[in-house]
Amino acid sequence: MEMSALKTVAAICFFSFFQLSAQTPIINLEDKYPYGTLLNKDNLEEYGLDIKTLLQAQKQEAAVEHVNRFFLPQLTSLEKLYPKQLLVPLVWGNFLFSSSRENSSKAKLLGELYLSIIRSHPDWINLEDQFTVMWRTAIAYRELNEIEKSENLFDNCFYLLDNESLPDEDGLRGDLYSSLATLKLNKRQILDTKPILDSAKIYCSSYRKSCYSIYILNLADYYESVNERDKAENILLKFINEIENHPNRFTPATHFSALRDLANVYYYLGQYQKTIEYYQDALEIPNIKASNRVNSYITLGATYSWSKNYHNAENYLKKALEFQKYAPNSPFPYDPFESNLQRLLINIYFLAQNEQYHYADGGTLDNLRASYNYQEQYLDLLEYMSKNLSPTSSRYFIDRFYYMYEEAIYVRYKLYEETQDAEYLEDAFRVAGRGKAIHVREAAQNAATEQIFPARLLQRRYDLRKRYVSLENRLYEQQEAGNASSALADSSLQAKNEYLRFLDSLEQAFPTMQQMWDIPEPPEPKLVQKQLREDNRAMVQYFIGYQYVFLFLLDGENIVLYNTKIPEGLSGQVSKMRDALYEWALHPSDDLVEQYTSSAHWLYKKLLQPVDSLLPQRLLIVPDNCVAYIPFDVLLREKPVPETPFQDYPYLIQDHQISYAYSPYDFTKKPQGKRHKRAAVLGFAPSFRDSPAIPETVANRRGEFGPLLANQDEVRQISDFFLVRKFEGEAATREAFLENASYYKALHLATHAKANDKKGDYSYLCFTEVSDDTTTSNRLYASELYLMNLSADMVVLSACETGLGELSKGEGVISLSQAFSKAGARSLITTLWRVSDQASATLMNSFYKHLHSGKTKDAALRNAKLDYLHEATGRGAHPFFWAGYVAQGDMAPLQLSSGYFIWWICLFLLVLFVILGGLIRSKRHKAHAKN
């Protein structure tokens, strides 16, 4: 369930750093600034101070109305005529609007204008005002789901506090930490939230501090998020008691927020009567904002729904819609809502959920159809809301609302069960596709901007992003080593500021830019089936939500949808199987074999057995969540007895040829036009120094980069089958790769790599270290790969963990392999663990041999694995050595120049040269004879 909490209203008017001198309070701005009159140079700053006074007097609604009707219409002309005097109204207008989510867009507008003016006129900067605007605009970005911009402005606020002298610095730090904690909670970065709250506690532990209320509410929210609801309940009960015993210390908005949050805790505890009672108490607070009243109606509706009082639930939820004046059949139903879209989304979602629960509780098919109709509305709204988000913000947005896609799939599944209408299965497949479209959105945006922007602006954007990404990666390396430079941190922040400011300038210069890209529609099932018929294979797509696992099986003719509750311990079994395979390489034991076989058979039964009888020989797996970490080749149909040799295990690879895709979009996307690249392999085999010691644990093994003894042989062997340009040893540098990678149809990297399962963009490949470089120059990060423009038909990442990384709903695993795919690679051969160097050389030699014979990539990889498995003996046949490689993307045969073909060309030219030489000598001989 999703709550639209508005904790930022809890303390908006007691900030010690803007106390006014004695001044007569302004009760009504219209008395002093009548509508129809114009602001001028003499009264513009005073208008800003009057807004500030109303904020302190808790007269926000009156101020909002006047600023909307009087100030905003004059903004453009005021900017041109009086930019310096405009700064003060911008500061407090920004503060005013950022105090409520529904006005976040206006807060963003005023904040960005203020920051733009002071960038042009740095001598006009007032540091306190600058801090205030950056902080409040960061909050506005947060409420608008513009996560990257929000985080960047918070970083700038901390930078300002660290480097400048501001009054009440402790109070400002407390405000910042409290606001940042809200951002982390919204992003569900729960582990990151607690240290921030601990920092906030230092500055916010007294009610006299402006951040006290927000800190208490966030602390309770944190404990609710980690399911320690008894602690959340106690914190809020104590806080409410404090508010009611000392009402003059706190605003009514704070009182409302505390009651609302306690009601939400009881909601999650299933104590619905208490939820209703506390919400009704909250609604009795005088002068609460209309937005808070609407939010209360929505949650009351959800509570009545859970209480099985569906009629009351519907009344409250529809009452909330009426307050919002939502007209779904109008030509532009979402335009009037601006920052209220998230609340509208939650409202419609609960209406759909209420009808679904009513159906499950003995209702009729009409209830299920009504739920379907509401879901169609909220799915369209989700698309509308996410259309213009950056990739980073989209990632968090989809993760936050992933449960809505899950509910929509479930309702379509139940409608199919009721009606046997296959259209519902097709629609369920489309919904699952919508939930996996982040990287497709990004590709669509990039393609559109390339058509819109002039080449010089595209180059400028690329250069700025490259600079800040490079600095961020260097800073990450220093932080990893424990010697981070403050100068480098400053440079990194300034580079990111410059990049984001440039993006803002592009939006202003091209105001219709965001309207020119469309989110691609999910692939039509019939189109997918047509492709599957041509390829003679079936697709198995997983969608793992918060309650259910959905398994879609599509072949050339039929769609099957299997649904089950998420098996208890699913992620644990995935980890157990992977750990058993990996640990065995260090310490072979029967216990680890038992752990592997038990988990591999358990996973088979839960993930594939329900549709096993329908599976053809060739499969395309579209995984989700932790399933993306599984090499399906090694799942076991039966659990072998302990004495069984590894070669004789009933692996899936014995019967199936398996490849993978990130989403159905990748499977059906049209191939690009001819790529005029060198029809050869670009091979890299860097050299590495000896490790100081042999790693004793899996964690240490994953962190050590010792010498690779067979990687150069691995690359050289490719020339037995295809033309190869090799970079080996000292020549295999990062710079050499960046300079040459875009010019070849196939890339092969036999090197070290490191996955980062917390921040996938910091996963990296290693190249030969440049000895005379003062920076750590041998790493190539996933974030840098995004900047590349590759045309490779195939990339082989014969390195450690290149398919692993950070799990993200809607995007899959944020990994090196995904980064290569975003950079333009059509297909990838990647790894799921740190593979054996010697085994890799053997496997890759066999792989290229089968590719050379014309096999598809998935067939060539399967044959190479089976070759290895049949030829290995004893422990050498263990899956650790051969199962780590997986194939993703376009599996068509590889069309390259053969190494043999080049030799035949050379031989033909040599013979031709000999023949021509003979003819020339013969003619000369005859000429001499005549003379």
Side-chain angles (χ1 to χ4, degrees):
M1 175 188 150
E2 182 74 22
M3 295 293 177
S4 54
L6 300 174
K7 294 189 175 63
T8 55
V9 301
I12 64 171
C13 51
F14 297 126
F15 298 95
S16 59
F17 66 90
F18 67 86
Q19 295 300 316
L20 280 178
S21 56
Q23 182 177 339
T24 303
I26 301 294
I27 303 302
N28 189 343
L29 284 174
E30 189 178 357
D31 292 342
K32 189 171 183 179
Y33 308 96
Y35 296 123
T37 62
L38 296 177
L39 290 165
N40 55 56
K41 184 177 181 179
D42 296 329
N43 66 0
L44 191 50
E45 289 187 1
E46 186 177 357
Y47 181 73
L49 294 175
D50 287 337
I51 296 172
K52 181 180 177 182
T53 304
L54 283 176
L55 276 166
Q56 290 177 307
Q58 301 178 43
K59 300 289 185 180
Q60 299 94 282
E61 290 192 8
V64 166
E65 181 180 0
H66 195 271
V67 172
N68 271 324
R69 293 178 57 191
F70 178 76
F71 176 64
L72 290 186
Q74 302 182 52
L75 190 59
T76 301
S77 61
L78 291 173
E79 179 190 358
K80 294 177 181 177
L81 296 172
Y82 318 115
K84 185 175 183 179
Q85 291 74 23
L86 181 60
L87 292 177
V88 174
L90 289 176
V91 172
W92 301 112
N94 165 262
F95 198 105
L96 172 71
F97 284 135
S98 69
S99 300
S100 59
R101 174 177 289 163
E102 59 265 30
N103 289 314
S104 296
S105 293
K106 294 169 186 173
K108 170 186 169 181
L109 169 70
L110 299 186
E112 288 179 343
L113 179 54
Y114 174 91
L115 294 173
S116 174
I117 292 173
I118 64 171
R119 278 196 298 270
S120 301
H121 303 279
D123 53 317
W124 294 354
I125 291 177
N126 176 297
L127 290 177
E128 296 173 45
D129 288 350
Q130 181 186 4
F131 175 89
T132 303
V133 171
M134 289 195 303
W135 167 42
R136 303 308 295 184
T137 307
I139 291 173
Y141 283 138
R142 181 189 72 199
E143 300 305 323
L144 293 167
N145 291 303
E146 296 184 39
I147 303 300
E148 190 173 19
K149 290 183 177 181
S150 179
E151 290 178 325
N152 183 63
L153 276 186
F154 277 123
D155 288 343
N156 277 273
C157 287
F158 281 112
Y159 177 83
L160 195 61
L161 284 179
D162 291 340
N163 292 276
E164 301 290 349
S165 178
L166 292 173
D168 190 25
E169 182 177 319
D170 286 354
L172 301 186
R173 286 190 184 276
D175 293 330
L176 271 184
Y177 280 122
S178 296
S179 301
L180 186 58
T182 305
L183 174 65
K184 297 297 182 182
L185 286 167
N186 286 353
K187 289 170 59 180
R188 305 192 181 201
Q189 293 181 338
I190 306 302
L191 294 178
D192 293 341
T193 303
K194 190 59 168 67
I196 295 172
L197 287 172
D198 290 342
S199 297
K201 183 179 180 180
I202 298 171
Y203 307 103
C204 306
S205 56
S206 166
Y207 75 87
R208 292 182 176 87
K209 297 294 185 181
S210 61
C211 55
Y212 174 69
S213 297
I214 301 178
Y215 163 70
I216 294 295
L217 294 171
N218 277 334
L219 186 64
D221 197 3
Y222 166 77
Y223 283 118
E224 193 284 317
S225 299
V226 296
N227 295 322
E228 295 186 37
R229 295 189 173 110
D230 55 335
K231 291 185 178 180
E233 179 188 14
N234 290 334
I235 289 169
L236 289 167
L237 284 171
K238 183 179 177 181
F239 187 42
I240 290 168
N241 185 58
E242 182 181 3
I243 292 170
E244 293 175 350
N245 287 335
H246 305 282
N248 293 332
R249 293 180 182 174
F250 304 95
T251 67
T254 300
H255 193 188
F256 174 88
S257 298
L259 290 169
R260 175 206 60 207
D261 286 2
L262 183 59
N264 292 344
V265 170
Y266 289 129
Y267 177 95
Y268 285 112
L269 288 170
Q271 299 180 28
Y272 300 126
Q273 189 56 42
K274 282 190 174 181
T275 302
I276 293 168
E277 290 171 4
Y278 275 99
Y279 258 111
Q280 289 175 340
D281 288 347
L283 288 170
E284 292 298 320
I285 293 175
N287 301 318
I288 65 169
K289 294 168 62 175
S291 60
N292 285 337
R293 187 172 297 279
V294 172
N295 292 333
S296 300
Y297 289 155
I298 292 171
T299 309
L300 278 169
T303 305
Y304 277 117
S305 185
W306 276 99
S307 304
K308 301 186 177 183
N309 189 334
Y310 307 113
H311 178 71
N312 272 4
E314 183 179 18
N315 285 343
Y316 271 107
L317 292 168
K318 286 189 172 180
K319 191 174 183 181
L321 276 189
E322 289 171 8
F323 261 86
Q324 297 177 85
K325 298 179 180 172
Y326 172 54
N329 296 321
S330 66
F332 305 102
Y334 310 129
D335 285 359
F337 289 89
E338 296 187 14
S339 305
N340 296 323
L341 286 171
Q342 188 165 302
R343 184 176 65 203
L344 177 63
L345 176 70
I346 301 299
N347 197 161
I348 300 171
Y349 164 76
F350 279 130
L351 278 164
Q353 188 185 72
N354 185 58
E355 295 289 354
Q356 179 188 337
Y357 287 175
H358 194 175
Y359 162 79
D361 193 33
T364 67
L365 187 58
D366 287 341
N367 296 119
L368 202 57
R369 286 181 170 138
S371 180
Y372 175 93
N373 291 332
Y374 282 126
Q375 286 175 349
E376 286 291 289
Q377 292 180 47
Y378 78 59
L379 288 171
D380 287 342
L381 182 51
L382 277 170
E383 295 292 306
Y384 179 87
M385 292 172 68
S386 65
K387 179 177 179 181
N388 298 327
L389 295 178
S390 71
T392 300
S393 298
S394 290
R395 188 180 300 166
Y396 296 121
F397 181 83
I398 294 293
D399 182 79
R400 186 172 184 179
F401 298 113
Y402 206 63
Y403 64 92
M404 294 190 178
Y405 295 100
E406 177 184 16
E407 299 267 2
I409 296 171
Y410 180 79
V411 164
R412 283 145 184 77
Y413 172 76
K414 299 303 292 184
L415 281 166
Y416 171 73
E417 281 192 332
E418 287 275 10
T419 66
Q420 294 300 300
D421 185 347
E423 175 58 34
Y424 288 118
L425 292 184
E426 294 182 4
D427 199 28
F429 181 76
R430 293 186 195 99
V431 173
R434 284 185 178 190
K436 292 178 175 287
I438 289 177
H439 65 291
V440 183
R441 287 187 178 92
E442 186 176 359
Q445 291 174 1
N446 288 338
T449 54
E450 287 180 6
Q451 298 296 321
I452 300 167
F453 298 152
R456 60 181 178 80
L457 293 182
L458 291 172
Q459 184 62 43
R460 176 68 172 157
R461 183 183 67 166
Y462 170 83
D463 291 340
L464 289 173
R465 186 178 179 191
K466 181 180 179 181
R467 179 169 177 266
Y468 105 72
V469 166
S470 176
L471 289 170
E472 279 196 340
N473 290 337
R474 285 176 57 195
L475 181 62
Y476 170 76
E477 291 170 11
Q478 290 188 358
Q479 291 169 340
E480 193 179 40
N483 60 354
S485 157
S486 59
L488 182 58
D490 293 348
S491 298
S492 175
L493 180 60
Q494 297 309 319
K496 189 168 187 178
N497 286 341
E498 189 176 2
Y499 171 68
L500 292 177
R501 286 199 297 268
F502 180 73
L503 294 186
D504 289 339
S505 71
L506 288 181
E507 289 183 11
Q508 293 172 12
F510 299 88
T512 62
M513 175 183 69
Q514 294 178 335
Q515 302 170 15
M516 297 186 68
W517 61 61
D518 294 315
I519 299 173
E521 288 295 321
E524 281 297 317
K526 287 181 172 54
L527 177 62
V528 174
Q529 290 175 304
K530 178 177 180 293
Q531 187 66 53
L532 289 169
R533 275 196 303 273
E534 294 174 0
D535 294 347
N536 193 29
R537 59 176 166 172
M539 173 187 289
V540 178
Q541 176 179 334
Y542 293 91
F543 186 103
I544 300 178
Y546 294 96
Q547 300 182 67
Y548 300 105
V549 174
F550 297 99
L551 186 161
F552 293 88
L553 174 64
L554 281 75
D555 60 19
E557 304 298 334
N558 302 303
I559 300 179
V560 174
L561 175 55
Y562 174 76
N563 160 245
T564 184
K565 289 278 189 179
I566 294 178
E568 186 175 353
L570 174 61
S571 61
Q573 290 291 343
V574 172
S575 296
K576 274 185 171 182
M577 186 185 81
R578 289 178 48 79
D579 289 346
L581 290 172
Y582 206 84
E583 185 75 43
W584 187 93
L586 292 175
H587 307 291
S589 71
D590 292 340
D591 288 343
L592 289 172
V593 173
E594 169 64 23
Q595 181 178 321
Y596 154 62
T597 55
S598 296
S599 296
H601 182 52
W602 187 93
L603 289 167
Y604 161 76
K605 288 193 298 182
K606 300 300 181 182
L607 297 176
L608 266 186
Q609 190 178 54
V611 295
D612 194 354
S613 62
L614 304 174
L615 298 178
Q617 190 262 351
R618 193 178 183 200
L619 296 177
L620 172 65
I621 306 290
V622 182
D624 192 25
N625 205 283
C626 60
V627 174
Y629 290 158
I630 298 174
F632 276 68
D633 285 344
V634 299
L635 298 188
L636 300 170
R637 280 198 165 90
E638 301 291 340
K639 189 173 182 296
V641 297
E643 297 80 16
T644 307
F646 292 131
Q647 293 95 326
D648 297 334
Y649 279 15
Y651 304 113
L652 282 188
I653 194 174
Q654 303 283 15
D655 302 306
H656 296 288
Q657 179 176 311
I658 300 172
S659 63
Y660 302 82
Y662 293 114
S663 77
Y665 290 91
D666 297 319
F667 176 63
T668 56
K669 64 184 179 185
K670 296 179 181 179
Q672 301 171 22
K674 288 186 177 181
R675 299 181 169 194
H676 301 289
K677 302 298 176 183
R678 297 171 189 171
V681 179
L682 179 67
F684 271 74
S687 57
F688 300 93
R689 302 188 184 99
D690 289 336
S691 298
I694 298 174
E696 294 295 329
T697 67
V698 170
N700 287 341
R701 177 182 170 85
R702 286 172 175 161
E704 288 291 338
F705 291 148
L708 294 174
L709 303 178
N711 68 330
Q712 293 187 20
D713 288 339
E714 179 180 323
V715 170
R716 290 169 187 167
Q717 289 172 354
I718 301 172
S719 61
D720 292 341
F721 311 104
F722 298 106
L723 183 62
V724 184
R725 185 183 180 190
K726 299 181 286 291
F727 286 82
E728 301 174 348
E730 296 299 319
T733 64
R734 175 180 179 275
E735 287 68 28
F737 177 78
L738 292 173
E739 185 178 339
N740 291 278
S742 298
Y743 300 107
Y744 288 83
K745 290 186 69 174
L747 309 177
H748 185 106
L749 293 95
T751 184
H752 283 304
K754 186 70 176 72
N756 190 320
D757 60 1
K758 296 293 186 288
K759 295 183 177 180
D761 288 347
Y762 287 118
S763 299
Y764 60 84
L765 286 165
C766 285
F767 294 85
T768 300
E769 191 167 356
V770 180
S771 57
D772 61 351
D773 197 326
T774 58
T775 64
T776 306
S777 60
N778 67 326
R779 294 182 181 182
L780 181 64
Y781 289 90
S783 58
E784 295 173 297
L785 285 166
Y786 300 150
L787 299 172
M788 298 186 70
N789 183 19
L790 299 177
S791 295
D793 290 342
M794 181 181 75
V795 175
V796 178
L797 299 175
S798 183
C800 330
E801 306 176 338
T802 50
L804 299 185
E806 175 191 359
L807 278 176
S808 171
K809 286 181 171 60
E811 190 168 18
V813 181
I814 304 168
S815 63
L816 287 164
S817 59
Q818 190 197 65
F820 271 101
S821 179
K822 286 184 176 182
R826 283 183 178 174
S827 67
L828 293 115
I829 308 298
T830 186
T831 55
L832 294 177
W833 55 73
R834 184 169 181 175
V835 293
S836 163
D837 185 27
Q838 295 286 350
S840 291
T842 303
L843 268 170
M844 288 294 100
N845 185 58
S846 183
F847 171 66
Y848 279 102
K849 179 184 73 174
H850 290 295
L851 277 180
H852 182 254
S853 70
K855 293 286 192 296
T856 59
K857 300 181 189 80
D858 51 339
L861 185 59
R862 175 177 183 257
N863 289 349
K865 291 179 180 180
L866 292 176
D867 290 346
Y868 185 94
L869 186 59
H870 296 154
E871 294 170 6
T873 57
R875 292 181 173 180
H878 188 274
F880 168 81
F881 295 105
W882 55 266
Y885 284 96
V886 294
Q888 300 172 348
D890 181 6
M891 292 294 104
L894 188 63
Q895 304 293 329
L896 293 179
S897 298
S898 168
Y900 296 131
F901 176 74
I902 297 300
W903 282 110
W904 279 111
I905 292 287
C906 292
L907 181 60
F908 171 76
L909 292 174
L910 179 61
V911 171
L912 184 60
F913 178 76
V914 171
I915 293 172
L916 289 175
L919 290 174
I920 292 170
R921 285 194 299 271
S922 176
K923 287 184 177 181
R924 286 178 178 173
H925 178 72
K926 290 179 180 179
H928 283 300
K930 288 181 180 179
N931 294 331

